[in-house]
Every structure is written in structure tokens, then in C-alpha cells.
Amino acid sequence: MILDSNIREATLLDFPKLMEIRMAVKENTLSNPALIPEDDYVKFCFTQGKGWVYEVESVIVGFSIVDLLGNNIWALFMDPQFEKKGIGKKLHDTMINWYFKQTKTTVWLGTEPHSRAADFYRKSGWTEVGLNGKDEIKFEMTAENWNRSKSK
């Protein structure tokens, strides 16, 4: 059975669901939900960058947000029930395509070492460049590497 699915830009009305998904993840969990208030979603989606949601049967099951001013991936999270279905890759590619249409500045992200996310970014062409803080791996993607990976 093929389900109706859609990627679209995030809206203010989506934020409660995005926050719910963020709290449901099995890796890269938040120790304190108050660390990321709704105002941060607004800032990164509308003031400093852009966000997208992936819907299945009109229900949001994943989202991605890129910070254009900070040149980093602020979020890419899936409802655990919808992991490993290619949705994260579609959100990732939509976000990175948009980012490199805006700027050619290298984009970075941080994620937990030895996680599925770290493996995902390596497979998606990101380069590990060191540490972000003391507990995360830092990855970077250049416009040149992104364009090269799309042509494969």
C-alpha cells in the first residue's frame, strides 16, 4: 500500500508536533526539554533559516531545520516509527539543496559519536572534522562535495 506523503515548509502551527517528535527520538535525546523552547524553532525556521516537515497521510513524521546565519544543521529528526524508510534522506536533501542555493558557505553539524545519525551523515557525504563541544562529532559539507554527491 502506498501512503500519501509530502514535504513542505514548516509553519508555526507545526511546532507542537516538531517538539513532540524531538522528544520521542531514541538517540541524541534532550536531558531537559526546556533547553529548546518554541522560540528557538521560530528563530531557526523564519529568522535565521528554514524548516521542512515530512507528512504521511497529513501527519508530520519528521522535520529538518537549517540555520543559514550559523551555517549549521539545527535539526533533522524522525518519529521513531518512521525511521529507516528514506524519509530522513529526503528531508536532508531538500534542506541541503535549499541551503546551497542561498550560500556556498560550508555547512556543519554536530551529532553523537557511534550513532545512526553519525553513520547517516557519513553515508550522505559529510566529512568528519573533529569535535563539537566535548560530546559530539563535528561534520562539514562543502558546496563542492554536495554538488559532486548529487551527480553520482
Side-chain angles (χ1 to χ4, degrees):
M1 179 169 84
I2 297 176
L3 299 175
D4 180 38
S5 62
N6 177 48
I7 292 179
R8 63 171 173 78
E9 290 182 18
T11 70
L12 287 171
L13 296 176
D14 298 327
F15 293 162
K17 183 63 176 177
L18 305 190
M19 295 170 78
E20 177 185 317
I21 289 171
R22 178 64 183 94
M23 294 309 302
V25 299
K26 305 295 185 214
E27 292 183 341
N28 198 16
T29 58
L30 285 175
S31 58
N32 178 358
L35 293 174
I36 303 181
E38 189 171 329
D39 289 350
D40 283 357
Y41 288 82
V42 172
K43 177 173 71 174
F44 291 112
C45 279
F46 303 120
T47 305
Q48 290 187 213
K50 188 175 286 284
W52 295 265
V53 298
Y54 192 99
E55 297 175 311
V56 173
E57 299 291 321
S58 301
V59 175
I60 297 171
V61 299
F63 70 98
S64 60
I65 301 171
V66 63
D67 175 3
L68 188 60
L69 295 183
N71 304 106
N72 83 303
I73 303 306
W74 191 73
L76 176 55
F77 293 102
M78 299 298 309
D79 179 322
Q81 297 177 45
F82 288 87
E83 291 176 349
K84 299 182 182 180
K85 298 184 184 303
I87 296 169
K89 177 83 170 124
K90 290 176 184 174
L91 282 165
H92 170 272
D93 292 359
T94 298
M95 173 176 59
I96 300 302
N97 281 330
W98 179 85
Y99 177 84
F100 283 123
K101 285 179 183 172
Q102 313 308 307
T103 182
K104 299 305 178 210
T105 303
T106 298
V107 63
W108 68 274
L109 63 89
T111 195
E112 291 179 343
H114 313 294
S115 64
R116 288 189 325 260
D119 291 340
F120 171 84
Y121 290 115
R122 284 185 192 99
K123 289 175 186 171
S124 297
W126 290 75
T127 302
E128 189 173 332
V129 296
L131 296 177
N132 179 47
K134 62 180 181 174
D135 298 326
E136 290 187 332
I137 300 172
K138 184 175 182 179
F139 287 93
E140 289 183 346
M141 176 68 75
T142 65
E144 181 181 351
N145 284 349
W146 178 246
N147 289 328
R148 191 178 313 125
S149 73
K150 288 190 329 184
S151 64
K152 290 182 181 178

